[in-house]
Coordinates of all heavy atoms in Angstrom, one line a residue:
I32 N 10.5 -12.0 -14.0 CA 11.4 -13.0 -13.6 C 12.6 -12.5 -12.9 O 13.0 -13.0 -11.8 CB 11.7 -14.0 -14.9 CG1 10.4 -14.6 -15.3 CG2 12.7 -15.0 -14.4 CD1 9.7 -15.5 -14.4
A33 N 13.3 -11.5 -13.5 CA 14.6 -11.0 -13.0 C 14.3 -10.5 -11.4 O 15.1 -10.8 -10.6 CB 15.1 -10.0 -13.8
S34 N 13.3 -9.6 -11.4 CA 13.0 -9.0 -10.0 C 12.6 -10.2 -9.1 O 12.8 -10.1 -7.9 CB 12.0 -7.9 -10.0 OG 10.7 -8.4 -10.5
L35 N 11.8 -11.2 -9.5 CA 11.5 -12.3 -8.6 C 12.7 -13.1 -8.2 O 12.8 -13.4 -7.0 CB 10.5 -13.2 -9.3 CG 9.9 -14.4 -8.5 CD1 9.3 -13.9 -7.3 CD2 9.0 -15.3 -9.4
D36 N 13.6 -13.4 -9.1 CA 14.9 -14.1 -8.7 C 15.6 -13.2 -7.7 O 16.2 -13.7 -6.7 CB 15.7 -14.2 -10.0 CG 15.2 -15.4 -10.8 OD1 14.2 -16.1 -10.3 OD2 15.7 -15.4 -12.0
S37 N 15.6 -11.8 -7.9 CA 16.3 -10.9 -6.9 C 15.6 -11.0 -5.6 O 16.3 -11.0 -4.6 CB 16.3 -9.5 -7.5 OG 16.8 -8.6 -6.6
S38 N 14.2 -10.9 -5.6 CA 13.6 -10.9 -4.3 C 13.8 -12.2 -3.6 O 13.9 -12.2 -2.3 CB 12.0 -10.7 -4.6 OG 11.8 -9.5 -5.1
L39 N 13.8 -13.3 -4.3 CA 13.9 -14.6 -3.6 C 15.3 -14.8 -3.0 O 15.5 -15.5 -2.0 CB 13.7 -15.8 -4.6 CG 12.3 -15.9 -5.0 CD1 12.1 -16.9 -6.0 CD2 11.3 -16.2 -4.0
S40 N 16.2 -14.1 -3.4 CA 17.6 -14.3 -3.1 C 18.0 -13.4 -1.8 O 19.0 -13.5 -1.2 CB 18.7 -14.0 -4.2 OG 18.5 -12.6 -4.5
K41 N 17.0 -12.5 -1.5 CA 17.2 -11.6 -0.3 C 17.3 -12.5 1.0 O 16.5 -13.6 1.0 CB 16.2 -10.7 -0.2 CG 16.2 -9.5 -1.2 CD 15.2 -8.5 -0.8 CE 15.3 -7.3 -1.7 NZ 14.3 -6.3 -1.5
S42 N 17.9 -12.2 2.0 CA 18.0 -13.0 3.1 C 16.8 -12.7 4.0 O 16.1 -11.8 3.8 CB 19.3 -12.7 4.0 OG 19.0 -11.3 4.5
S43 N 16.5 -13.7 4.9 CA 15.3 -13.7 5.6 C 15.4 -12.4 6.7 O 14.5 -11.9 7.0 CB 15.1 -15.0 6.4 OG 16.2 -15.2 7.3
S44 N 16.7 -12.1 7.0 CA 16.8 -11.0 7.9 C 16.3 -9.7 7.2 O 15.8 -8.8 7.8 CB 18.2 -10.8 8.3 OG 19.1 -10.6 7.4
S45 N 16.6 -9.5 6.0 CA 16.2 -8.2 5.3 C 14.6 -8.3 5.2 O 14.0 -7.3 5.2 CB 16.8 -8.1 3.9 OG 16.4 -9.2 3.1
M46 N 14.0 -9.5 5.1 CA 12.6 -9.6 5.1 C 11.9 -9.1 6.3 O 11.0 -8.5 6.3 CB 12.1 -10.9 4.6 CG 12.3 -11.3 3.1 SD 11.5 -12.7 2.8 CE 12.0 -13.0 1.1
E47 N 12.6 -9.5 7.4 CA 12.1 -9.3 8.8 C 12.2 -7.7 9.0 O 11.4 -7.1 9.8 CB 12.9 -10.1 9.8 CG 12.6 -11.4 9.8 CD 13.6 -12.3 10.7 OE1 14.5 -11.6 11.4 OE2 13.6 -13.5 10.6
K48 N 13.2 -7.0 8.4 CA 13.4 -5.6 8.5 C 12.3 -4.9 7.7 O 12.0 -3.8 7.9 CB 14.7 -5.2 8.3 CG 15.8 -5.7 9.1 CD 17.1 -5.3 8.7 CE 18.3 -6.1 9.6 NZ 19.6 -5.7 9.1
S49 N 11.8 -5.5 6.7 CA 10.9 -4.7 5.7 C 9.6 -4.4 6.4 O 9.0 -5.2 6.9 CB 10.7 -5.7 4.5 OG 9.7 -5.2 3.7
S50 N 9.2 -3.1 6.1 CA 8.0 -2.8 6.7 C 6.7 -3.5 6.2 O 5.7 -3.6 6.9 CB 7.8 -1.2 6.7 OG 7.7 -0.9 5.2
S51 N 6.8 -4.1 5.0 CA 5.7 -4.7 4.5 C 5.4 -6.0 5.1 O 4.3 -6.6 5.3 CB 6.0 -5.2 2.9 OG 7.1 -5.9 2.7
F52 N 6.4 -6.6 5.9 CA 6.2 -7.8 6.7 C 5.9 -7.5 8.2 O 5.4 -8.3 8.8 CB 7.4 -8.6 6.7 CG 7.6 -9.4 5.3 CD1 8.2 -8.8 4.2 CD2 7.0 -10.6 5.1 CE1 8.3 -9.4 3.1 CE2 7.1 -11.1 3.9 CZ 7.8 -10.7 2.8
S53 N 6.2 -6.3 8.5 CA 5.9 -6.0 9.9 C 4.8 -5.1 10.2 O 4.0 -5.0 11.3 CB 7.1 -5.4 10.6 OG 7.5 -4.1 10.0
N54 N 4.4 -4.3 9.1 CA 3.3 -3.3 9.0 C 1.8 -4.2 9.0 O 1.7 -5.1 8.2 CB 3.3 -2.3 8.0 CG 2.3 -1.3 8.1 OD1 1.4 -1.3 8.8 ND2 2.4 -0.3 7.3
E55 N 1.1 -3.9 10.0 CA -0.3 -4.6 10.1 C -1.3 -4.1 9.2 O -2.2 -4.8 8.9 CB -0.8 -4.5 11.5 CG 0.1 -5.3 12.6 CD 0.1 -6.8 12.3 OE1 -1.0 -7.3 12.1 OE2 1.1 -7.4 12.5
Y56 N -1.1 -2.8 8.6 CA -2.1 -2.3 7.7 C -3.7 -2.5 8.3 O -4.5 -3.1 7.7 CB -2.1 -2.8 6.3 CG -0.7 -2.6 5.6 CD1 0.2 -3.7 5.7 CD2 -0.5 -1.5 4.9 CE1 1.4 -3.5 5.1 CE2 0.8 -1.3 4.4 CZ 1.8 -2.3 4.3 OH 2.9 -2.1 3.8
P57 N -3.9 -1.8 9.5 CA -5.3 -2.0 10.1 C -6.3 -1.5 9.2 O -7.4 -2.2 9.3 CB -5.1 -1.2 11.3 CG -4.0 -0.3 11.2 CD -3.0 -1.0 10.3
E58 N -6.2 -0.5 8.4 CA -7.4 -0.1 7.6 C -7.7 -1.1 6.5 O -8.9 -1.4 6.3 CB -7.0 1.3 6.9 CG -8.1 1.9 6.0 CD -7.7 3.3 5.5 OE1 -7.1 4.1 6.1 OE2 -8.1 3.4 4.3

Side-chain angles (χ1 to χ4, degrees):
I32 298 299
S34 63
L35 181 60
D36 288 343
S37 172
S38 296
L39 292 175
S40 67
K41 287 185 179 180
S42 70
S43 61
S44 63
S45 69
M46 285 188 190
E47 290 170 7
K48 293 177 187 175
S49 171
S50 62
S51 65
F52 286 88
S53 60
N54 190 342
E55 293 294 321
Y56 298 97
E58 184 178 319

